[in-house]
């Protein structure tokens, strides 16, 4: 009885039930670019503003801490990266060209196959949303665990988690739409583009840090906030 009720709820969720989605022409490149801006660029920008407001910038954490926590909190990384033996270029290669494919296939393509095999596309869309929710939780928990270990305040962790949800949830919706519509390659391309922009942002921060370190004797420089205290990133 309960399973039947749950099944009816899941099958009731479909692309057609989302306002305006059923009228979108997903084969139109301009529509796809608009959706990428609406579901990825804009939410990421909002999340970035929130992180900036609360004084959270993970790029300014010690590279040693950042590297160690990344390995410990994301089990896939130690498999593909030798610990402490990779640079930004190698990370960028895996981040832009491997992980988008791996994550999209695991969390969205596999659930979407249900619709193509059974013909029940409503259930496929619901399954993509569920698996995408798990994907979001993994990213949010990873970031929260890293911040907790690094000593950020509870307020910063909560607001940073909210910012992460703002950035990740829209992608789940968009990816579910695209995979259910048979446009998984577009979803992978969007995911790769998002990661590429993140890598460029990290590169900019790294160059900015190097520039500031040259003038550390004349400037206090950048810092990150832990438990309401300012910690400057310059190394002796």
């Amino acid at each position: 009885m309960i399973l039947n009720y749950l099944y009816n709820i899941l099958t009731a969720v479909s692309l057609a039930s989302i306002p305006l989605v059923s009228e979108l022409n997903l084969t139109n490149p301009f529509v796809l670019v608009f959706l990428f801006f609406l579901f990825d660029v804009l939410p990421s920008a909002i999340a970035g503003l929130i992180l900036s407001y609360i004084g959270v910038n993970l790029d300014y954490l010690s590279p040693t801490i950042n590297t160690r926590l990344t390995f410990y909190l994301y089990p896939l990384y130690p498999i593909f990266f030798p610990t402490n033996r990779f640079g930004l270029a190698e990370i960028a290669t895996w981040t832009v060209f491997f992980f988008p494919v791996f994550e999209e296939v695991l969390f969205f393509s596999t659930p979407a196959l249900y619709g193509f095999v059974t013909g029940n596309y409503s259930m496929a869309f619901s399954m993509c949303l569920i698996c995408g929710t798990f994907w979001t939780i993994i990213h949010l928990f990873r970031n929260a665990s890293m911040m907790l270990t690094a000593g950020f305040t509870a307020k910063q962790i909560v607001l940073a988690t909210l910012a992460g949800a703002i950035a990740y949830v829209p992608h789940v919706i968009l990816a579910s739409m695209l995979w259910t519509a048979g446009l998984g390659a577009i979803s992978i391309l969007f995911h790769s583009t998002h990661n590429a922009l993140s890598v460029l942002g990290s590169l900019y921060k790294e160059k900015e840090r190097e520039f500031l370190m040259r003038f550390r004797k004349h400037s206090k420089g950048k810092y990150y906030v832990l438990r309401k205290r300012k910690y400057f990133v310059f190394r002796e």
Side-chain angles (χ1 to χ4, degrees), residues 78-101:
I79 298 176
F80 302 103
F81 297 132
T83 306
N84 296 327
R85 294 183 180 179
F86 60 88
L88 182 60
E90 186 174 355
I91 294 178
T93 300
W94 288 95
T95 301
V96 176
F97 298 107
F98 176 79
F99 285 111
V101 178

Side-chain angles (χ1 to χ4, degrees), residues 64-216:
T64 302
I65 295 177
N66 211 5
T67 299
R68 182 171 66 251
L69 294 179
T70 298
F71 274 97
Y72 290 163
L73 299 175
Y74 199 165
L76 287 177
Y77 283 176
I79 298 176
F80 302 103
F81 297 132
T83 306
N84 296 327
R85 294 183 180 179
F86 60 88
L88 182 60
E90 186 174 355
I91 294 178
T93 300
W94 288 95
T95 301
V96 176
F97 298 107
F98 176 79
F99 285 111
V101 178
F102 180 85
E103 294 177 355
E104 290 284 330
V105 170
L106 179 62
F107 291 99
F108 298 102
S109 174
T110 303
L113 285 175
Y114 181 90
F116 291 99
V117 173
T118 65
N120 191 338
Y121 297 100
S122 296
M123 176 63 81
F125 181 72
S126 299
M127 292 176 65
C128 285
L129 290 178
I130 294 174
C131 293
T133 300
F134 294 158
W135 172 81
T136 300
I137 292 174
I138 291 173
H139 284 76
L140 295 180
F141 178 78
R142 181 190 64 178
N143 293 336
S145 298
M146 181 169 64
M147 293 180 63
L148 180 63
T149 305
F152 284 91
T153 66
K155 178 181 178 180
Q156 288 175 312
I157 294 175
V158 170
L159 292 178
T161 301
L162 174 62
I166 293 175
Y168 292 126
V169 171
H171 175 78
V172 171
I173 298 174
L174 179 59
S176 300
M177 291 167 48
L178 294 174
W179 278 104
T180 307
L183 298 174
I186 301 299
S187 184
I188 293 175
L189 179 61
F190 286 168
H191 197 152
S192 296
T193 302
H194 172 90
N195 286 6
L197 294 175
S198 298
V199 169
L200 290 177
S202 298
L203 179 60
Y204 171 79
K205 294 297 183 181
E206 183 67 25
K207 295 299 181 181
E208 182 183 40
R209 174 162 39 193
E210 294 176 358
F211 174 79
L212 292 173
M213 289 182 65
R214 297 176 184 175
F215 302 96
R216 60 182 180 273

Side-chain angles (χ1 to χ4, degrees), residues 12-27:
V13 179
S14 64
L15 291 175
S17 64
I18 302 178
L20 300 180
V21 171
S22 59
E23 300 178 5
L24 291 177
N25 180 11
L26 296 180
T27 61

